[in-house]
Structures are given as structure tokens and as C-alpha cells.
Amino acid sequence: MSYNINITKVEQSKVDALDFDNIPLGTTFTDHMFICDYENGVWVNPRIVPMGMIPTHPAAMALHYGQAIFEGMKAYKDAQGEPMLFRPDQNAKRLNTSADRMGMPYFPEDLFVEGLKELVSLEHNWIPPKDGSALYLRPFMYADEPFIGMRAATHYKFIIMASPAGPFFSKRIKLWAEKQFIRAAHGGTGEAKAAGNYAAAIRPTELAKAKGYDQVLWLDAAEHKYIQEVGTMNIFFKINGAFITPKLDGSVLDGITRKSVIDVLRDKGFEVTERLITLKEIKEASQNGTLEEAFGAGTAVGIAYIQEIGLEGETIHVSDESPVGLEINNTLDAIKTGKQEDKFGWMLKTRKELA
Ligand SMILES: *Cc1c(COP(=O)(O)O)cnc(C)c1O
């Protein structure tokens, strides 16, 4: 289906004021945003407007009952400066998986991709040119109906914002294996990219940081025995030459980086198994010298190499280098910036705006 996206442009772009060598993290936004409203059972009025405030009623249901979900993805430039999106169809699908769990309406997947393409085309000057930089895109949906009471809202907004992000230098990280707090339980909302999951993770993450760790290693809710994920990334371990990653059991987020890493690893001839992984077996592998690498995988940082895992009274040493993790990170970067053939068919090209 083809949509009529109404575009209102700013009079003067702010892009010239941005120092691409020093992009403040998460506080810089491009000139425009994409918005669409849900009313009377349909999505209406898809439009691109100048970035700015949105009037919100204090009874907007998202503020009280938490119907709020989001996505995160990046736009890159190829050698010719043409903007490209990495697997946007996967984000469109996942948004609807989240919407389903949170009792929210589906957003048309073709309009999701169309909105992204239009916005990225318009904002192509905001895609940072440096290696490792990208234009971060944040599609999200929330209930904006003013209503006090417990039911699904009938009015929602879907918005896409864009924020340039500088290169991320991945230092080796230390994880805190969390046994007091949990991120997700069976039957809960762990597989949804829901704002509330993050709210519940903030305090445990602060406590882990106060202990000197970078991220929380989340364990299963029932027994605190099985590894789920790390911070806001999925996790991979290399033991005896083969890779393992926690299987998707409804409480682990279905990461797009995760599935891409699995494909790239298999393509390079590595064995990858998705299964339950206990903290105990990782500890034993560390002790008997078969634990070779571990890394987190997510859109924001790509691959985050893991040095050690701390738990009450002990430390599991993982590794001091991650040659395969590094190779996978480089391969993904090369595909995303058109330096390497897109053999998996992941990249969606859009165009520079014909001004
Ligand atoms: C978004 C997210 C991930 C990573 O997903 P990507 O699609 O790879 O960015 C992993 N875990 C959690 C909890 C997340 O919210």
C-alpha cells in the first residue's frame, strides 16, 4: 500500500550547528519527526513535522498504566553517501509483537518502513560520516487517551525520532550476575520492548554500577540459575570453539543483532546453539579453561566484549580478548556501510532527498 505522508519542513535546519566530532549522546535530535495518530480503530494522518513538544493531557494513559513500547535501529551511509537502513522490516514486526503483548494496536509494517525511509531521506545530512557513527532511530508508540481506568486505550501516537550517534568505542565490560532483582518472568513482558521493562531495570543497574560493574547479567526469575541477557543486549558465549546463546523462551528479547550474529557466525562456519545456559556451566567452563569469549549484542553498541562476571563472593573470569567477537562486529559494520557485499539481503537503501 502506498501512503500519503504529509511533510512540513523546518525553515532552517540545525544540522550546521552540530559538531560531528563531538556528538552529545542522546540529547541531539534532527530537525523533524514522523507522527501518526490512532483514532476510532485506524491509524490516520501520517506526517513529518518539525521536531518539537507534543501537548499531553495529564491523564494520558501511558503515564499511568504504562502502555508504551519502542524500537531502536540505525541508519548508515554507504561509500556514495546513500542512506541505508539495517533490517527495518524486523523492527516493524517486533513493534507489533510488543503491541500485541501490551494490548496496543498493530502499526502497519509497510507504513513503519515508509515513515522511516521518508524521515531518513529528509534527514540524510544528519547521518554522521565517521566510521562507527550512525543516525539512531527511535520509533515508539504510546497511549495518549486521557482516561482514568483500567482498560486498553483507544487513542495512541506512533512517532519516529532520529538522533545522531558518534562512534562507540567498546571497552571490555564487567557484568554483575543479579540474584535479587529480575528483568522478566515466564508469562511476563520480557519479550516486549516495553518501557516498563526498562523502568524496572534502572535501580538494579544503578546498584550494579555502584559495585563497579558496567551492566547487569539477568538471570531467570524462578531459580536465578539460567542466563537471560545482559543489560539491554543479548548474550553469546564461546566454549570449546562453539557458540551458545540463551534460547528465546518468552522472557528473552528477540534481538535483531542476536539473529544477525547467529547468521554471520554460522556463515563463518561456527556452530551456534540456542538453549538454556546455566551460570554454573559458564563458571565451570571458565575454571577448566574452555570459556574462550563472551559478548553482548545489540543495536546501540553492536558487540560489547565481556571480561568478567561478578557474583556474591566470587568472580568468573571470561577472557581478555575476543577475536571472533571483533571479527563479527567488523563484518556487521562492513555490511551496514556497504563495504561488504550484503549477502543476506539485510540492507534497505533509501535516497537522499531531491531537494
Ligand atoms: C532492544 C533490546 C535488545 C537488543 O535488540 P536489538 O534488536 O539487537 O537492538 C536486547 N535486549 C533487550 C532487553 C532489549 O530491549
Side-chain angles (χ1 to χ4, degrees):
M1 194 172 154
S2 156
Y3 294 91
N4 185 10
I5 300 175
N6 198 298
I7 300 181
T8 311
K9 288 192 207 167
V10 292
E11 278 170 22
Q12 180 71 49
S13 173
K14 295 192 291 5
V15 72
D16 295 337
L18 178 66
D19 173 5
F20 278 101
D21 290 325
N22 280 300
I23 306 174
L25 200 66
T27 55
T28 307
F29 299 96
T30 63
D31 296 318
H32 304 90
M33 59 183 168
F34 174 91
I35 304 193
C36 196
D37 303 308
Y38 186 81
E39 299 167 4
N40 304 318
V42 279
W43 287 102
V44 294
N45 195 12
R47 59 201 184 273
I48 289 175
V49 295
M51 168 56 84
M53 302 290 179
I54 302 172
T56 302
H57 194 285
M61 290 176 79
L63 300 178
H64 303 266
Y65 310 112
Q67 277 184 304
I69 55 176
F70 66 93
E71 276 302 320
M73 52 199 302
K74 284 177 174 174
Y76 305 83
K77 265 183 190 169
D78 68 10
Q80 288 72 47
E82 293 294 328
M84 298 196 294
L85 292 162
F86 181 70
R87 309 188 77 177
D89 56 310
Q90 298 291 318
N91 295 89
K93 251 174 70 182
R94 190 172 63 188
L95 181 89
N96 283 337
T97 304
S98 303
D100 190 57
R101 178 63 185 85
M102 307 306 284
M104 300 166 78
Y106 285 163
F107 191 79
E109 292 177 16
D110 52 355
L111 179 55
F112 181 103
V113 174
E114 201 49 42
L116 280 167
K117 281 176 73 174
E118 285 293 327
L119 185 65
V120 168
S121 293
L122 188 62
E123 309 287 51
H124 70 92
N125 283 331
W126 288 87
I127 305 176
K130 268 200 178 158
D131 262 6
S133 326
L135 185 62
Y136 185 79
L137 298 160
R138 168 55 59 85
F140 64 109
M141 189 203 296
Y142 65 96
D144 71 342
E145 179 191 356
F147 180 74
I148 299 291
M150 172 63 190
R151 59 155 169 77
T154 57
H155 285 62
Y156 296 85
K157 272 198 164 51
F158 171 84
I159 299 178
I160 307 172
M161 303 184 294
S163 173
F168 188 90
F169 298 105
S170 218
K171 71 172 176 75
R172 305 190 71 74
I173 57 173
K174 296 181 182 178
L175 310 182
W176 172 252
E178 180 57 60
K179 293 197 172 179
Q180 184 189 353
F181 302 106
I182 59 149
R183 193 192 85 89
H186 285 293
T189 58
E191 211 171 39
K193 224 170 161 68
N197 289 341
Y198 282 74
I202 287 173
R203 180 76 180 135
T205 305
E206 280 180 351
L207 291 171
K209 286 187 175 163
K211 287 196 259 279
Y213 293 90
D214 300 291
Q215 289 285 341
V216 171
L217 179 66
W218 297 109
L219 304 174
D220 75 285
E223 301 177 77
H224 301 140
K225 188 171 140 190
Y226 300 102
I227 293 172
Q228 290 183 329
E229 42 191 310
V230 40
T232 59
M233 293 179 280
N234 295 107
I235 190 166
F236 288 81
F237 296 94
K238 179 166 177 262
I239 298 179
N240 246 343
F243 281 87
I244 51 175
T245 187
K247 68 173 183 181
L248 302 176
D249 63 351
S251 47
V252 171
L253 195 108
D254 186 0
I256 295 158
T257 315
R258 176 186 181 277
K259 66 178 76 173
S260 308
V261 166
I262 292 174
D263 286 347
V264 171
L265 281 171
R266 287 188 178 145
D267 184 59
K268 289 183 189 287
F270 289 101
E271 188 188 311
V272 187
T273 310
E274 298 171 68
R275 62 166 172 84
L276 288 174
I277 301 172
T278 61
L279 188 56
K280 184 161 168 272
E281 70 178 290
I282 298 305
K283 187 171 133 184
E284 284 166 3
S286 167
Q287 284 164 350
N288 68 27
T290 53
L291 178 59
E292 292 156 2
E293 288 185 38
F295 51 81
T299 295
V301 300
I303 304 287
Y305 315 103
I306 298 165
Q307 178 152 18
E308 63 177 51
I309 299 170
L311 46 162
E312 218 58 74
E314 58 185 317
T315 297
I316 301 172
H317 180 254
V318 177
S319 68
D320 297 318
E321 47 189 37
S322 306
V324 181
L326 194 64
E327 185 186 336
I328 299 301
N329 205 16
N330 289 340
T331 300
L332 284 173
D333 277 348
I335 293 174
K336 290 168 177 176
T337 50
K339 294 194 185 80
Q340 186 168 324
E341 186 208 340
D342 176 22
K343 64 193 279 188
F344 302 99
W346 285 337
M347 303 311 296
L348 180 71
K349 284 203 182 208
T350 178
R351 59 190 190 286
K352 289 186 218 171
E353 188 192 21
L354 307 168

